Amino acid sequence: MPVEEICDGVSAEDDAKTGSDVPFLLEERVKEKVPWKEVLRRKVGKKCSCSSARVKSLVVDSIPIIKWLPRYQFKDWIIGDAMSGLIIGILLVPQSIAYSLLAEQDPIYGLYTSFFASIIYALLGTSRHISVGMFGVLCLLVGQVVDRELTLAGYSSGTNQTIMGIVDNSTGPICDRSCYAIMVGATLTFTAGVYQVLMGLLQVGFVSVFLSDSLLSGFATGASLTILTSQIKYFLGLHLPRVQGWGSLIKTWVSLLKNLGHTNVCDLITSAICLLVLVPTKELNDRFKAKLKAPIPFELFVVIAATLASHFGKFKETYGSDVAGNIPTGFMPPQLPNWSLIPNIAVDAFSIAIVGFAITVSLSEMFAKKHGYMVDPNQEMYAIGFCNIIPSFFRCFTTSAALTKTLVKESTGCQTQVSGLVTALVLLLVLLVIAPLFYSLQKCVLAVIIVVNLRGALRKFGDIPQMWRVNRVDTIIWLVTMSASALVNTELGLLVGILVSAFFVLGRTQSAQVLQLGQAGDRELFEDIGSYKGLQTQPGVAVFRYEAPIYYANQTLFKKSLYRSVGLDPLKEKARRRKLEKQKTQKQGVEDQKQEMDVSTNVYLLQHTSLHTLVMDCSPVLFLDTAGVNALKEVCKDYKELGVNVFLAQCNTSVTDSLRRGGYYDPKKGTKEIKFHTVGDAISYAQSLKSQNGDCDTVV
C-alpha cells in the first residue's frame, strides 16, 4: 500500500523509469456521493408512498395468514394440523392452570392467555410450527412483579380471591387481591407488548443475534432453579410469601427449612404420588416419541384423577389443602390497563419484552431452518407484541414461544398455524363448559406439573462437561448467566449474561497477536510459522498478520505485539540511542562519539542484516477507526526513521477508505498510495525496490 521513500533522490517517476515491479491493480468503481438529504427523502418517500399495490403489500406483510391461507393444501395438511392442534390444546389445559400459579394469577387467566395467544399468532406470525403461549421463565418474571406490587399496595399474601371489584385509575385500585393481581399482570403485559411493537417499527429485530444460545440457555436454566424453588412450598402445603430482592433463591430455601414443621401431609403425599407418576411417564413419552403418533397426555390424566380424589376425599375441608377454587366460564368484559402502574413496571416490562422476543425468534428461526422456509424477525416482533397487547385488555399475561410444546407440535404433524386455531377451539370449549370442574384441583398438583416440565432445562447441568470440551468461552457464559439468574436476581442475570458475552467478544480482539507468516512453496499461500511446518520466509522481507480489527481499545496492544514479533521496539531503540548519544557527548569528543554510535548500531544490525521491509497482511482486519489509522501511521513513521518500509496488503475497501480519510497516504511526506491485492505482490515490489536502491542501508 504505502511506500516509504527511504533513499534520497529516488522518486515515483524514477521507479517507473528503472522498471521496478508494478503491483497488479484493480480499477475501483467510482461511488456516487448522494447527499444525506436526498437519501432521507428517498427513504421517506418509499415508506410513505400510497398506492393500491403499496397498501396491498403492507396488509399482506402485516397479516401473513392472508398470504398463505389461500394456498393451504387442505387434503394434505388438515389431518396433521388438526391432530397437533388437538394435542397441544389438551396439554395446555393443565399447563395453563399450573402456570397461572407461577404468575400469581387465578387459573382462568391462564386459560384466557393461551386462548388469545394461539389465535393472534396464527394471524400475525411467520413461523409455521412454533406454539405460542405461556413460558415458565416469563411467568416467573410476571409473578415476581405482581407479588412486589401487591406488597406495595398493602395486600396480604393470602390466597387469591376471584370476586371482581371496581377499578378507578384516578384514585388507585379498590378491588380485592385477585383483581389487583391481574390488573398488574395485564398492565405489565401491555407495556411489554408496546416495547416489542416499537422495536418492530424501529426494525431492530436483529438484536436477537446478540443473545447467544449459551446465554439464553444459561438464563433459562437459572430461572428454572428459581421456579423449582418457588414451587416447593406448594409441594409441602406451606403458606409462605414470595421472597423479593437479590438472593431470593437462598432466602426461600432458608424460609422453607424453618417452616418444615408446618408441612401439610396431604399435599406432600399427593405431590409425591404425582411425581412418581409423571416423571416416568414423561420419560416414556420421550423415549418412544418416534414410535408414538402423538404423546400420551399423562398430565391431563393426573389432573383429572387428582381432581376427583380431592373432590370426593374432601381434601380442602378435611386436611386444609389449597385448591384451584372457583373457575368461571365464559369471558369477562375487556378493561383498560392501569396507566398509573406503568412507571412502576416499565423497567421490568422491558426485560420481559427482550426475553419473550429472543425466545420466540430463536425458536422460529430454528424450526424454519429445519423445514426450509424463512421467517421475518421484525414481523415476529409485531406478532409477539400484539400477542401481548390485545390479550392484556382481556385480563391475560405475557406470552412467548415455548420449546416443549413446539417440539410436540412439530412431531405430531403440524404443517401451518391452522393447528393454532384448532388449539384455540379446544381451549374455548374448556372456557365455556369444562373449567368449573377443576374447582377441587390441589395447587400442589399444579406445582408438580410445573416442576416436571423443567426437566429439559435442568438436564443442561449434565451437558456441562461436553460444553466445556466444545467451547470453554460459551460454557463460562452459560455458568455465569445461570449463576447470576439463580443466585442473585432473574432479571439481573440476563443483563450479566449480555455484559459477560460482550466482555468476551471484546477480550478476543484484545488477545489477538501479530503472527509472522511464511510462504508455502511457490503458492500464494501465507500462514503462521508457529502453526505449520515447511513454510519459507523471504530474504529481507518479514510478513506479519494481525487477526483482529484495529480500533481504540486494542491499538496499543497491536503496536506492542507487532514490535515484539519484529524483535524491535522503534521507540525504545530511538530512546536508547538518544541516551547513549547524550552520554557520549558529555564524556568524549565528536570522533569518539561517532565511533561508539556505529558500534551500537552494528550490534543490532548483526541480528537483522538484510531486513528492509515489513508487509502487513490486513485481510483479517475488518475495520479501522481513527485510533487504528493513527496507530498504523505511527508504525510506519517509527520504522521509516529506522530505514524500514511498511507495506499493507489485502486491505478490504472499508479499511482502504479509512486509511484515505485518516490521512495515512500523504505524498508530501513521502507516502504514496500503492495497492497490494496479494502478499506476493507486496513482497515482489519490496524486493525490486531493494535491488534498485542497493546502496541504501536498511536499519531496523
Side-chain angles (χ1 to χ4, degrees):
M1 304 279 280
V3 177
E4 311 294 350
E5 308 290 353
I6 61 173
C7 298
D8 295 336
V10 180
S11 64
E13 291 78 4
D14 295 332
D15 287 347
K17 292 178 182 179
T18 54
S20 63
D21 287 351
V22 178
F24 175 76
L25 296 178
L26 293 174
E27 184 177 358
E28 293 187 26
R29 293 183 181 274
V30 179
K31 297 180 181 179
E32 180 183 359
K33 293 184 179 180
V34 182
W36 67 269
K37 293 183 179 179
E38 179 64 20
V39 174
L40 181 61
R41 188 188 67 79
R42 291 178 183 177
K43 289 186 177 181
V44 171
K46 183 178 179 180
K47 294 291 184 182
C48 300
S49 62
C50 186
S51 64
S52 58
R54 173 68 177 167
V55 172
K56 180 180 178 180
S57 175
L58 184 62
V59 171
V60 170
D61 291 341
S62 301
I63 310 176
I65 194 173
I66 298 175
K67 185 176 182 180
W68 60 261
L69 189 59
R71 300 199 297 265
Y72 187 80
Q73 300 176 23
F74 189 85
K75 292 183 179 180
D76 297 331
W77 294 349
I78 189 61
I79 295 178
D81 283 341
M83 178 64 72
S84 64
L86 177 63
I87 292 170
I88 293 298
I90 293 173
L91 293 176
L92 275 176
V93 173
Q95 289 187 14
S96 298
I97 297 174
Y99 282 119
S100 300
L101 187 70
L102 188 59
E104 292 285 332
Q105 305 296 338
D106 288 346
I108 187 65
Y109 302 130
L111 294 171
Y112 286 164
T113 300
S114 297
F115 171 75
F116 284 108
S118 299
I119 295 177
I120 295 171
Y121 188 82
L123 298 175
L124 304 180
T126 58
S127 173
R128 302 175 191 172
H129 295 88
I130 66 171
S131 175
V132 173
M134 286 179 293
F135 180 54
V137 175
L138 292 183
C139 290
L140 172 68
L141 297 176
V142 171
Q144 289 176 340
V145 177
V146 169
D147 188 75
R148 184 191 70 205
E149 293 302 317
L150 285 171
T151 302
L152 292 175
Y155 288 94
S156 66
S157 59
T159 304
N160 280 354
Q161 301 176 19
T162 55
I163 301 173
M164 298 303 298
I166 302 173
V167 177
D168 182 354
N169 285 335
S170 62
T171 60
I174 55 174
C175 57
D176 63 12
R177 188 178 191 277
S178 172
C179 165
Y180 192 64
I182 190 57
M183 184 190 304
V184 174
T187 304
L188 179 67
T189 299
F190 173 82
T191 309
V194 170
Y195 282 137
Q196 289 167 334
V197 171
L198 287 176
M199 287 189 284
L201 290 173
L202 296 174
Q203 302 287 297
V204 293
F206 65 89
V207 298
S208 62
V209 303
F210 295 105
L211 303 177
S212 64
D213 292 341
S214 58
L215 187 153
L216 291 175
S217 175
F219 174 71
T221 304
S224 297
L225 291 176
T226 305
I227 294 172
L228 172 64
T229 301
S230 70
Q231 299 307 298
I232 298 298
K233 66 179 182 181
Y234 296 108
F235 280 34
L236 304 177
L238 299 176
H239 297 84
L240 301 176
R242 188 193 290 256
V243 178
Q244 293 287 340
W246 291 12
S248 59
L249 183 140
I250 297 175
K251 294 177 182 177
T252 301
W253 278 106
V254 171
S255 179
L256 287 170
L257 294 174
K258 288 181 178 179
N259 290 274
L260 280 179
H262 301 93
T263 299
N264 186 305
V265 178
C266 178
D267 285 346
L268 178 61
I269 294 174
T270 303
S271 301
I273 294 173
C274 292
L275 278 173
L276 290 174
V277 172
L278 281 179
V279 172
T281 53
K282 282 279 193 177
E283 291 296 328
L284 288 174
N285 263 342
D286 292 343
R287 178 167 296 184
F288 297 105
K289 63 182 177 181
K291 297 181 180 180
L292 294 172
K293 293 184 178 180
I296 302 173
F298 289 110
E299 289 175 340
L300 185 61
F301 297 157
V302 167
V303 165
I304 294 173
T307 302
L308 292 174
S310 176
H311 174 74
F312 291 106
K314 300 184 183 301
F315 290 171
K316 179 181 180 182
E317 295 80 2
T318 306
Y319 304 106
S321 295
D322 281 340
V323 297
N326 182 46
I327 305 178
T329 57
F331 294 90
M332 299 177 187
Q335 70 174 14
L336 292 174
N338 189 331
W339 310 115
S340 62
L341 282 173
I342 292 180
N344 296 346
I345 50 88
V347 176
D348 304 286
F350 184 75
S351 62
I352 289 174
I354 293 295
V355 173
F357 165 69
I359 296 294
T360 301
V361 170
S362 60
L363 286 181
S364 61
E365 289 183 341
M366 179 176 71
F367 284 93
K369 183 179 180 180
K370 181 177 180 180
H371 292 276
Y373 62 91
M374 299 291 293
V375 294
D376 182 357
N378 288 307
Q379 181 60 31
E380 289 295 294
M381 188 86 83
Y382 289 128
I384 201 63
F386 284 111
C387 280
N388 288 321
I389 291 176
I390 297 174
S392 68
F393 295 100
F394 296 91
R395 298 172 176 83
C396 300
F397 47 92
T398 314
T399 57
S400 73
L403 176 60
T404 303
K405 292 186 283 292
T406 300
L407 290 172
V408 172
K409 194 173 182 179
E410 180 205 28
S411 65
T412 51
C414 172
Q415 298 293 331
T416 67
Q417 284 298 332
V418 168
S419 62
L421 300 177
V422 175
T423 298
L425 289 176
V426 175
L427 293 170
L428 180 63
L429 176 64
V430 174
L431 284 166
L432 296 179
V433 180
I434 303 175
L437 300 178
F438 295 108
Y439 174 89
S440 298
L441 178 61
Q442 291 170 273
K443 288 186 177 180
C444 63
V445 178
L446 301 177
V448 169
I449 292 174
I450 292 173
V451 170
V452 169
N453 282 287
L454 298 176
R455 292 173 306 127
L458 297 177
R459 281 175 178 164
K460 291 291 184 180
F461 286 104
D463 298 336
I464 292 177
Q466 176 65 18
M467 292 167 56
W468 183 260
R469 288 191 293 269
V470 173
N471 192 305
R472 295 185 179 183
V473 171
D474 284 346
T475 308
I476 293 173
I477 293 173
W478 188 92
L479 289 171
V480 171
T481 307
M482 182 275 299
S483 301
S485 300
L487 301 177
V488 183
N489 180 275
T490 308
E491 296 92 336
L492 185 63
L494 181 64
L495 177 61
V496 169
I498 293 173
L499 293 177
V500 171
S501 298
F503 172 79
F504 275 111
V505 171
L506 183 63
R508 289 177 181 180
T509 65
Q510 296 285 304
S511 61
Q513 298 294 321
V514 173
L515 307 176
Q516 185 173 2
L517 307 183
Q519 187 173 9
D522 296 330
R523 300 173 182 269
E524 182 61 38
L525 177 61
F526 293 83
E527 290 297 339
D528 177 26
I529 291 177
S531 300
Y532 298 95
K533 298 179 180 180
L535 300 179
Q536 304 171 358
T537 58
Q538 304 299 319
V541 181
V543 183
F544 295 92
R545 175 190 293 157
Y546 188 65
E547 298 184 331
I550 305 173
Y551 62 112
Y552 71 94
N554 69 349
Q555 51 94 13
T556 302
L557 296 173
F558 158 71
K559 289 189 293 184
K560 289 182 178 179
S561 180
L562 177 63
Y563 295 159
R564 184 169 58 250
S565 298
V566 174
L568 172 69
D569 185 335
L571 300 180
K572 291 182 179 180
E573 176 65 16
K574 287 186 289 184
R576 187 184 66 82
R577 293 184 182 183
R578 285 195 297 268
K579 181 179 179 180
L580 183 60
E581 183 178 0
K582 183 177 179 181
Q583 292 175 349
K584 298 305 179 183
T585 302
Q586 295 174 352
K587 296 180 179 179
Q588 300 178 358
V590 177
E591 292 297 327
D592 292 338
Q593 175 193 352
K594 182 178 179 181
Q595 182 179 357
E596 291 295 333
M597 282 297 300
D598 289 342
V599 171
S600 172
T601 301
N602 289 333
V603 170
Y604 184 80
L605 288 176
L606 290 175
Q607 303 173 13
H608 300 270
T609 54
S610 61
L611 182 62
H612 54 81
T613 303
L614 296 179
V615 176
M616 282 293 301
D617 177 7
C618 296
S619 56
V621 180
L622 299 180
F623 65 88
L624 296 172
D625 66 357
T626 303
V629 174
N630 290 336
L632 289 175
K633 290 165 70 175
E634 291 173 12
V635 168
C636 267
K637 176 177 177 294
D638 292 340
Y639 277 114
K640 178 182 178 180
E641 293 177 356
L642 298 178
V644 178
N645 294 336
V646 177
F647 295 162
L648 306 182
Q650 301 191 124
C651 295
N652 61 44
T653 54
S654 171
V655 170
T656 302
D657 291 340
S658 297
L659 291 171
R660 289 170 180 164
R661 292 193 302 268
Y664 183 82
Y665 304 117
D666 189 353
K668 295 180 180 179
K669 296 182 179 180
T671 307
K672 63 182 181 180
E673 180 177 349
I674 298 181
K675 292 185 178 180
F676 299 108
H677 297 294
T678 67
V679 174
D681 280 354
I683 293 175
S684 298
Y685 190 84
Q687 291 175 337
S688 68
L689 286 181
K690 177 61 178 176
S691 64
Q692 295 172 37
N693 305 334
D695 295 336
C696 300
D697 290 333
T698 300
V699 182
V700 185

